[in-house]
Amino acid sequence: MRGAESLEAALAPRLAEQRARVRYRQRHTTRGVGPRVHRDGRDWLNVCSNDYLGLAGDPRLADALAEGARRFGVGGGASHLVCGHSEAHEMLERRLAAWTGCERALLFSSGYQANLGVISALLGRGDIALHDRLNHASLLDGTRLAGARLERFAHGDAAACEARLAALESERRRLVISDGVFSMDGDCADLNALATHCERHDAWLMIDDAHGLGVLGERGAGTCDAQGLAPGRVPILVGTLGKALGTHGAFVAGSETLIEALIQFARPYVYTTSLSPALAWATLTSLDVVRDEPERRDHLQALVARFRQHGAGLAEVGLSPMPSMTPIQPLLITQHGEGANEATALALAQALEARAIWCSAIRPPTVPVGSARLRITLSAAHELADVDRLCEALYDAARQVIGQGGAAMPQRAPA
Ligand SMILES: *Cc1c(COP(=O)(O)O)cnc(C)c1O
C-alpha cells in the first residue's frame, strides 16, 4: 500500500475545520417531548421542535401505539413487497389518500426516503429537476441520486420558475419541486401559480408539504387546503408523519399510476423494511385528532399572532423576524460576515439556555451562508404565557449578546 491515509487522519482535520467555522454540531439527550422537556438535570421550555400540534407526547397516541404493536406487530418484519405490508399500513394509506383528496397514497419510512424515492423513480440522467432555491436537503439529494440536472429558481418566485420552464421548453421531462412551507423560513410557496405554470408548460409538479400538513387549512390538510387548490393540481404530494402528526414516517399522494410506478421503481421504498405497523396504527389516531380538534390549529394561530406582535421590536435589537405566518418563526441575525453570524446565533442560543429556553441555532449549510438564525417553532402545546416568556428572554438575550440595547418589549396586550 502506497501512502494510504488512515481513517483517523482523514477525519480529524475535517472535524477541526468544522469547529473553526463554528459549524460543529452536538446533540442533547432529552427526556420527554413537547414544550417542556427534561435535559441536563433540569426542565426547559422547548421552542425548536416540529411537534406543531403537540401530539408526539399525547397519551392517546401512546395507547394507540401499544395497541397497534399488539395487533399488528412492533416491526414490519420485511419490506412492503415481501411480506411487510400490514392491514394497519393499508388503512393508513387509504385515510391519507382521502385526507389529501388523491386517488392513492404510499407510505415511506421517512420523508428523507420518500424524497429520494420519488425523484429517483421519476427522473433519470438528462432530465430536469427545477428547484426553489431554498428546498429541503432531501430534495437535492433525491435529484443527485436520480442523476438528473439540477436547475434552480429564486426562492418563492413563481414567475422566475415559469421563465426557467419556458427556457427549458425543449426538454422532455421537467419536474418542478418546491417545499409547501419552507422549513427554515416558514413562508409558503404559491401553489396556485406553480401549478398553473406547470400545467401551461407540461411540466410535472412535486410539493413537499412536511411543515404544512396538519397545521394549515381548515381541515389541516396542508398548504393545498389553505390555498384552496383542487385535488390533482399537485400531482405529486409528499407529506411526513413525524412533524404535526407526532409519529414517524412519510407518504406520497397522487394518482393510481404514480403510486403503482413508485411501488415498482422507487428503490428507497423497495429495499427497506416497512414502517412500523404500530406507528401506522398510531398515526390513524393522529388523523382523528387533526379532524376532531381544530381548536389546536386555532390556538397555534393565536400563539403565532402573539409572537409576531410581541416580537415585532426584535429587529431593533438585531434579530429580524421573517415574514412568516406559520408556526415556524425564524429570527435572522442581522450582523454581517461569515462566522460572525454563526457565532452570534450560538451565543444567543446559549443566552436563552441560561434562561432555561431551548432554541437551537441554525447555521450553514442548513441555511445559506450569512443567514444564521434562531428558528423558533411554536406548538399547540405551548401557552400564551410561554410566548411572553420567550419574547422577554429574546429581548434580554439580544441586548446582552448583540448589545444594541434600547428597544423595549412592546406593551403587553390583554390575554
Ligand atoms: C423534515 C423534512 C423532511 C424529512 O422528513 P423525515 O420524515 O424527518 O425524514 C423532508 N422534507 C422537508 C421539507 C422536511 O422539513
Side-chain angles (χ1 to χ4, degrees), residues 394-411:
L394 283 166
Y395 282 96
D396 287 350
R399 269 189 225 105
Q400 174 193 332
V401 170
I402 305 175
Q404 286 173 269
M409 186 152 146
Q411 204 59 44

Side-chain angles (χ1 to χ4, degrees), residues 144-163:
R144 249 191 256 167
L145 182 63
R149 204 170 106 203
L150 175 71
E151 296 269 345
R152 293 174 156 184
F153 58 91
H155 170 58
D157 189 344
C161 173
E162 169 155 52

Side-chain angles (χ1 to χ4, degrees), residues 59 118 235 355 385 404:
V118 172
R355 295 159 175 88
Q404 286 173 269

Side-chain angles (χ1 to χ4, degrees), residues 177-195:
I177 309 175
S178 177
D179 286 15
V181 174
F182 287 87
S183 54
M184 294 301 136
D185 290 51
D187 55 340
C188 301
D190 182 346
L191 298 190
N192 257 309
L194 290 177

Side-chain angles (χ1 to χ4, degrees), residues 87 91 98 108 113 169 173 179 199 204-205 215 222 229 242 248 292 310 363 383:
E87 288 173 353
M91 287 168 75
F108 279 77
Q113 286 186 36
E169 199 72 69
R173 293 188 186 144
D179 286 15
E199 287 154 8
W204 308 344
L205 177 62
V215 173
L229 260 75
H248 179 78
D292 299 338
H310 284 191
R363 291 164 282 165
E383 290 163 18

